[in-house]
Amino acid sequence: MTTTDKPVALIIGAGDHLGSAIARRFAKEGFHLVVTRRRGDLDLLSSEIQALGSSATAIHSDARDEDQVIELVERVESEHGPIRVAVFNVGGNVRYDICETSTRIYRKVWEMCALAGFLVGREVAKKMLQRNEGTLLFTGASASLRGGRGFAAFAGGKHALRALAQSMARELGPQGIHVAHVVVDGLIRNEATAEFLPDLYASKGEDGIIEPDDLAEIYWQLHNQPRSAWTFELDARPFSEKW
């Protein structure tokens, strides 16, 4: 027996900024949110969701671990209800010159971006195919389309994630499952990015940084698209971003 009669949204990678913003956006529409991340606080997000009049289940889970992903999806479906929407929002952005990129770094980033996306996508698809409906959304980046200097590992992982999403969309779309890939072409407002890329972040100015809540609106719109006009890939950037 499930614990909620609300539609269920699963957010993999519910970090403090975009992941949380996506969760809050679906919470506003009455979804029960299952929010996960490998480590870090989830209590604040759960409180925010409850303040919006919805409900949340917070779970720490490693999306790179096959057994944990299988257990997570089974738990959500059995305890909370059918997964209507799943969002894969795991990051993995690092910057190293190629000669400084160790095998460990490259493998870890690939596992976070690509392997984890595959495991989550596969397990959620198994459930959605039983109902011939559902939405699977993957968060990409500029690195999904082009490799920048110092970002070989990140670009490799994000290119692989995009290819996975594209293959899944072509296979699952005709079976009623909407798979979409969001290319985030710009810097999202958060403290970690400001520390990671301080000069670039400062150069963008106040209007050149993406607001997480504005970006989250795109995920909601993608979920609500009629099947006669589904989008596979959507790219979003600040109005002042060069591309």
Side-chain angles (χ1 to χ4, degrees), residues 128-134 168-178 227 230:
M128 290 182 173
L129 281 170
Q130 296 173 11
R131 302 179 285 268
N132 294 115
E133 65 175 9
M168 289 182 64
R170 288 177 166 143
E171 177 180 346
L172 301 177
Q175 301 181 73
I177 299 169
H178 185 189
R227 64 170 61 195
W230 273 352

Side-chain angles (χ1 to χ4, degrees), residues 61-161:
S61 180
D62 189 345
R64 303 170 300 173
D65 186 288
E66 184 172 25
D67 291 338
Q68 289 189 43
V69 173
I70 293 172
E71 180 183 359
L72 171 67
V73 173
E74 291 292 340
R75 175 181 172 183
V76 174
E77 289 265 332
S78 63
E79 296 183 6
H80 304 291
I83 299 170
R84 185 80 60 83
V85 183
V87 179
F88 180 78
N89 186 58
V90 176
N93 194 354
V94 297
R95 185 175 188 175
Y96 291 95
D97 288 344
I98 191 64
C99 293
E100 297 176 354
T101 303
S102 66
T103 301
R104 177 180 175 276
I105 290 170
Y106 196 94
R107 179 180 290 116
K108 182 177 181 180
V109 174
W110 174 80
E111 288 178 349
M112 293 173 69
C113 294
L115 177 63
F118 159 70
L119 293 172
V120 170
R122 184 190 68 187
E123 293 307 308
V124 171
K126 289 178 182 178
K127 301 300 183 181
M128 290 182 173
L129 281 170
Q130 296 173 11
R131 302 179 285 268
N132 294 115
E133 65 175 9
T135 304
L136 263 167
L137 304 176
F138 294 90
T139 298
S142 305
S144 303
L145 305 175
R146 60 184 185 272
R149 178 178 178 179
F151 293 96
F154 187 53
K158 284 297 185 180
H159 268 67
L161 181 66

Side-chain angles (χ1 to χ4, degrees), residues 17 19 28 57 64-66 75 120 136 141 155 162 165 172 192 196 220-221 237:
H17 302 97
K28 290 178 181 178
T57 300
R64 303 170 300 173
D65 186 288
E66 184 172 25
R75 175 181 172 183
V120 170
L136 263 167
R162 180 176 185 251
L172 301 177
F196 178 49
W220 173 248
Q221 292 172 1
R237 61 184 61 85

Side-chain angles (χ1 to χ4, degrees), residues 193-234:
T193 301
E195 293 178 4
F196 178 49
L197 301 167
D199 294 338
L200 181 60
Y201 194 91
S203 72
K204 298 297 182 180
E206 185 66 21
D207 292 335
I209 302 295
I210 302 174
E211 298 293 343
D213 288 341
D214 294 340
L215 193 54
E217 182 65 28
I218 290 173
Y219 289 73
W220 173 248
Q221 292 172 1
L222 283 170
H223 169 62
N224 279 287
Q225 285 183 331
R227 64 170 61 195
S228 66
W230 273 352
T231 294
F232 163 66
E233 189 163 74
L234 184 153

